[in-house]
Amino acid sequence: MDPYQNLNVSPVHKRKAERERKAEEEKVSGGSGGSGGGGNGNGPRNPQEPEEPRKRKKVSTEDPYAPLMDHIEDLRSLLIKSAVVFVLWFFLIFMTVGWWFPVVSKGADIIVLGPFEVIRFYIRTSAAMSLGLSLPFICWFLWQFVRPGLVDKETQFLKGSLPVMLGLFLVGLSFGYFVVHPISYFFLIQMGQVNFDVLVTADEYMSFLLITTIPFGLIFQLPIVVLFLNHIELLDSDLMKKSRKFAYFGLLVITAIIAPPDFFTHLITLLPMIGLYEISIILVRRKERRTAQKEKAEAEAV
């Protein structure tokens, strides 16, 4: 028998579906025997009566192995809600660009090269900022989607880490906006003014601003990622210490990719990343000590 004959039922919960079918048959047979075909509503269904449409069974923690189509419906709902949030942010940012752009530009001399570039700038900037502002909502929708398939150990960790992840993302954005961006931007402008008349378009300025801010919001998630890997027992402090030099090399490569091409900006970008790695080692070590003390106390209690 082909286990994939019914595409709405995955092989994982096929046995459970079989038990439910048998229970339904017993219920129908019991109802028909007790009622004798009477009109109390417990007898067999009249073949002429239209069958009620099956309602989609919502994916929940009580039934994580829902049919495949139910998972697809939940994914569709996630995508729709994410798109609605993105569109709302897009129109809000697009309509208020004349208010926030002078603040973001920090008084820099910025030009546009034509009328079409104005529209292109507004659309690209609104889309990029809308995506960034929609990320917390998208992460929440994604969490609601994947939560039924996670074990309690993973669920407890991620549920408690969501506020910390949002806070670290905002700290990373602030670091990029107030530290990396102004230092690297004015350094490069002054270096160019030695031999050239530097003209910066609005589109180039916003691209540079996004490059020097958003990646740092993601990089500052490093402690959470390390703690999660340690929580599911894929990483420990000893392994992080042994692979420290390889980790530093990887951080250097990431810095060369995301940071502007000057040594000073690379330095102020690399140092916080190394600090985050060392902080992650300290957090993992403290967590391992607490776990060891808890296990020792439980052993002594027994």
Side-chain angles (χ1 to χ4, degrees), residues 258-270:
I258 67 173
D262 64 276
F263 175 77
F264 187 67
T265 304
H266 284 180
L267 184 62
I268 63 175
T269 303
L270 181 62

Side-chain angles (χ1 to χ4, degrees), residues 96-155:
T96 59
V97 65
W99 174 79
W100 56 261
F101 183 70
V103 179
V104 173
S105 62
K106 299 180 180 181
D109 295 329
I110 301 174
I111 65 171
V112 292
L113 301 179
F116 292 108
E117 185 174 350
V118 176
I119 299 299
R120 184 168 63 250
F121 165 74
Y122 285 168
I123 293 177
R124 287 184 59 183
T125 303
S126 300
M129 297 185 65
S130 300
L131 181 60
L133 294 173
S134 301
L135 277 179
F137 300 92
I138 295 175
C139 290
W140 175 252
F141 298 148
L142 185 62
W143 160 252
Q144 292 178 326
F145 176 73
V146 303
R147 181 175 57 181
L150 300 177
V151 298
D152 293 339
K153 186 177 182 180
E154 299 168 347
T155 302

Side-chain angles (χ1 to χ4, degrees), residues 10-302:
S10 63
V12 176
H13 75 293
K14 196 174 184 66
R15 185 178 301 175
K16 181 177 180 180
E18 184 68 20
R19 289 199 302 267
E20 292 178 353
R21 184 182 64 80
K22 291 182 179 179
E24 186 67 22
E25 292 178 354
E26 293 176 358
K27 182 178 179 181
V28 173
S29 61
S32 61
S35 62
N40 57 357
N42 294 327
R45 181 183 296 273
N46 188 345
Q48 301 298 328
E49 295 181 2
E51 184 178 357
E52 296 182 359
R54 184 182 73 87
K55 294 183 178 180
R56 187 181 68 85
K57 183 167 54 177
K58 186 174 180 61
V59 180
S60 63
T61 54
E62 289 77 14
D63 185 15
Y65 303 112
L68 178 60
M69 293 305 299
D70 290 355
H71 287 289
I72 295 178
E73 287 291 333
D74 282 347
L75 180 60
R76 174 177 173 271
S77 175
L78 182 152
L79 295 176
I80 291 176
K81 290 186 291 186
S82 301
V84 170
V85 172
F86 174 82
V87 171
L88 291 177
W89 276 117
F90 179 86
F91 279 106
L92 179 62
I93 295 173
F94 188 85
M95 299 299 295
T96 59
V97 65
W99 174 79
W100 56 261
F101 183 70
V103 179
V104 173
S105 62
K106 299 180 180 181
D109 295 329
I110 301 174
I111 65 171
V112 292
L113 301 179
F116 292 108
E117 185 174 350
V118 176
I119 299 299
R120 184 168 63 250
F121 165 74
Y122 285 168
I123 293 177
R124 287 184 59 183
T125 303
S126 300
M129 297 185 65
S130 300
L131 181 60
L133 294 173
S134 301
L135 277 179
F137 300 92
I138 295 175
C139 290
W140 175 252
F141 298 148
L142 185 62
W143 160 252
Q144 292 178 326
F145 176 73
V146 303
R147 181 175 57 181
L150 300 177
V151 298
D152 293 339
K153 186 177 182 180
E154 299 168 347
T155 302
Q156 294 174 0
F157 178 86
L158 292 177
K159 186 176 181 180
S161 301
L162 286 177
V164 181
M165 293 173 63
L166 178 59
L168 289 175
F169 184 77
L170 295 177
V171 171
L173 288 181
S174 301
F175 176 78
Y177 181 74
F178 292 106
V179 179
V180 178
H181 172 70
I183 293 177
S184 58
Y185 178 79
F186 290 108
F187 174 79
L188 294 175
I189 291 295
Q190 291 176 0
M191 185 174 62
Q193 288 176 344
V194 175
N195 298 310
F196 307 98
D197 293 330
V198 180
L199 299 177
V200 181
T201 65
D203 195 25
E204 291 173 345
Y205 180 84
M206 285 305 302
S207 299
F208 187 84
L209 177 62
L210 295 175
I211 291 174
T212 53
T213 52
I214 291 181
F216 291 95
L218 302 177
I219 290 172
F220 272 61
Q221 305 298 317
L222 179 61
I224 300 298
V225 174
V226 171
L227 286 175
F228 178 74
L229 294 176
N230 176 259
H231 193 74
I232 60 177
E233 300 177 356
L234 291 180
L235 190 67
D236 55 27
S237 58
D238 293 334
L239 180 60
M240 294 182 67
K241 293 176 184 177
K242 294 178 181 178
S243 58
R244 181 182 275 121
K245 57 182 179 180
F246 301 104
Y248 285 179
F249 179 77
L251 295 177
L252 181 61
V253 173
I254 295 175
T255 301
I257 295 175
I258 67 173
D262 64 276
F263 175 77
F264 187 67
T265 304
H266 284 180
L267 184 62
I268 63 175
T269 303
L270 181 62
L271 291 179
M273 296 172 66
I274 294 177
L276 288 172
Y277 186 82
E278 296 298 330
I279 292 174
S280 301
I281 295 178
I282 296 174
L283 293 176
V284 170
R285 188 186 305 150
R286 292 181 58 184
K287 182 177 179 296
E288 291 174 348
R289 289 176 181 174
R290 288 197 303 266
T291 303
Q293 292 176 357
K294 184 178 179 180
E295 293 177 353
K296 183 179 179 180
E298 292 177 353
E300 291 177 353
V302 174

